[in-house]
Amino acid sequence: MFRLILVLTAAYSSVLFADNPIITDKYTADPAALVHEGKVYLYAGHDECPPRQHRYVLNEWLCFSSEDMVNWKEHPVPLKAKDFDWARADAWASEVIERDGKFYWYVTVSHKKIHGKAIGVAVSDSPEGPFEDARGSALITNDMTTDVKISWDDIDPTVFIDDDDQAYMYWGNQKCRWIKLKDNMIETEGEIHTVEGLPEFTEAPWIHKRGDWYYLSYAYQFPEKTAYAMSKSIEGPWEYKGILNELAGNCNTNHQAIISFKGKDYFFYHTGGISTEGSSFRRSVCIDYLYYNPEGTMKRVQMTTEGVEPVK
């Protein structure tokens, strides 16, 4: 299920790498990653579009874990779109975050009664799940953001807990939005804000912090590259810094997750890289290294077929 490649060095010693894509027995999309107790948990949508068709078919989310970034263990399916009684379908992009021993999974689905995409939240006592609907209703619905005249502008949630313990959720398509979350992580607090200073924002925001800098990466243009901005405050203002990742193979979308694990920085993304049926609708998660410049900006990601080395 998980392929490994042995690369010989000039000294004829061997170095083990993960082979990109990292999972090849099924299609995985929209990666999110969580570091918890010495493991990395990868959460991904499951592309199930039949061969030679061209449409998004996602009914469930998948969970994998690794202690070394090379060997990945698949866990039982922890959450499906149908686990939200108020949702009609569509297990689109999501993210999991831990707070006070509980794990909160923010997801994109289609609402049964309110036209368009919506954001829900599930909860579990374990990063592996199973997860259950934490509210019994949507957290964000399409009728809350009426200035964008599409039905899919409320997608791709990313959640970040700041140093003062205030939680924030960012999301959006065409416009990037953010709102505060209450301490219980399942209610919003205050008004919805729109982020300025993100040229050609398409979707897929991801927030992370390193040192004094906050980073907001996102899908840029269409077909999508990944771009990013930086700020000294999670509430902005944000300064655009440029392209982080180029077009991802034969795939129109580009969706990232960024983590630090055991002293190294990693960039998760997806491509249409599985032969021969990989495509924009049958995507696969990959991992490569992320590097920073001395002043804090990020270097452009180098997408590889070799992937990353194991860490101990």
Side-chain angles (χ1 to χ4, degrees):
M1 176 167 57
F2 307 112
R3 295 183 294 160
L4 301 176
I5 183 169
L6 194 63
V7 180
L8 296 180
T9 68
Y12 299 100
S13 61
S14 60
V15 180
L16 198 64
F17 287 82
D19 193 8
N20 278 331
I22 63 169
I23 298 161
T24 57
D25 70 322
K26 58 189 63 175
Y27 295 106
T28 52
D30 302 327
L34 171 72
V35 177
H36 179 69
E37 293 186 347
K39 291 183 180 180
V40 174
Y41 290 87
L42 165 64
Y43 303 93
H46 183 194
D47 274 336
E48 299 180 84
C49 181
R52 292 170 292 281
Q53 294 188 25
H54 305 286
R55 57 195 177 97
Y56 291 112
V57 181
L58 299 97
N59 299 302
E60 62 188 12
W61 294 274
L62 306 176
C63 176
F64 307 84
S65 65
S66 177
E67 296 180 355
D68 65 1
M69 298 298 291
V70 168
N71 297 287
W72 291 90
K73 175 184 177 182
E74 183 174 5
H75 300 281
V77 172
L79 187 64
K80 299 181 178 182
K82 69 179 183 181
D83 292 334
F84 298 91
D85 289 340
W86 49 268
R88 178 172 54 81
D90 301 328
W92 282 22
S94 66
E95 186 182 349
V96 177
I97 192 168
E98 184 269 339
R99 184 162 196 168
D100 297 331
K102 290 188 177 293
F103 299 84
Y104 297 90
W105 199 337
Y106 299 84
V107 304
T108 308
V109 293
S110 292
H111 204 284
K112 278 182 180 178
K113 297 181 178 180
I114 301 172
H115 179 67
K117 291 291 186 286
I119 295 172
V121 55
V123 65
S124 175
D125 292 326
S126 166
E128 302 169 13
F131 286 77
E132 62 182 20
D133 187 356
R135 290 173 47 94
S137 62
L139 187 64
I140 297 290
T141 54
N142 188 53
D143 56 353
M144 295 180 180
T145 54
T146 57
D147 55 323
V148 176
K149 304 303 181 184
I150 57 175
S151 63
W152 59 92
D153 58 311
D154 295 294
I155 65 172
D156 298 359
T158 181
V159 174
F160 183 86
I161 300 174
D162 207 359
D163 297 334
D164 61 359
D165 290 329
Q166 176 63 58
Y168 294 79
M169 184 174 73
Y170 280 68
W171 77 97
N173 181 288
Q174 294 193 10
K175 288 190 177 183
C176 183
R177 308 179 191 278
W178 66 268
I179 197 168
K180 291 182 178 180
L181 298 176
K182 293 184 179 181
D183 290 345
N184 64 16
M185 301 297 285
I186 62 170
E187 295 179 279
T188 60
E189 181 177 2
E191 63 183 273
I192 295 174
H193 303 265
T194 299
V195 181
E196 305 294 339
L198 304 181
E200 300 193 71
F201 175 87
T202 303
E203 58 188 0
W206 179 273
I207 299 285
H208 76 283
K209 188 181 183 186
R210 181 177 182 267
D212 293 331
W213 287 106
Y214 297 84
Y215 298 81
L216 198 174
S217 50
Y218 63 95
Y220 168 93
Q221 301 179 334
F222 193 85
E224 295 171 355
K225 303 178 179 74
T226 301
Y228 78 103
M230 294 171 61
S231 177
K232 286 298 181 82
S233 168
I234 192 171
E235 298 185 12
W238 295 92
E239 182 179 349
Y240 177 73
K241 293 298 182 180
I243 302 299
L244 182 58
N245 193 36
E246 295 288 354
L247 298 175
N250 61 329
C251 179
N252 286 332
T253 59
N254 214 326
H255 194 110
Q256 77 292 350
I258 295 172
I259 62 166
S260 296
F261 181 62
K262 296 183 178 180
K264 294 183 181 293
D265 298 295
Y266 296 93
F267 185 85
F268 292 72
Y269 59 103
H270 64 224
T271 70
I274 293 182
S275 298
T276 58
E277 296 291 346
S279 72
S280 293
F281 307 99
R282 289 175 292 277
R283 297 160 291 182
S284 300
V285 171
C286 301
I287 308 172
D288 277 300
Y289 292 112
L290 178 67
Y291 298 102
Y292 293 83
N293 294 305
E295 77 280 7
T297 57
M298 294 187 287
K299 295 184 178 181
R300 195 168 297 200
V301 172
Q302 297 295 314
M303 293 180 282
T304 69
T305 55
E306 294 89 354
V308 298
E309 295 181 42
V311 292
K312 296 181 180 180

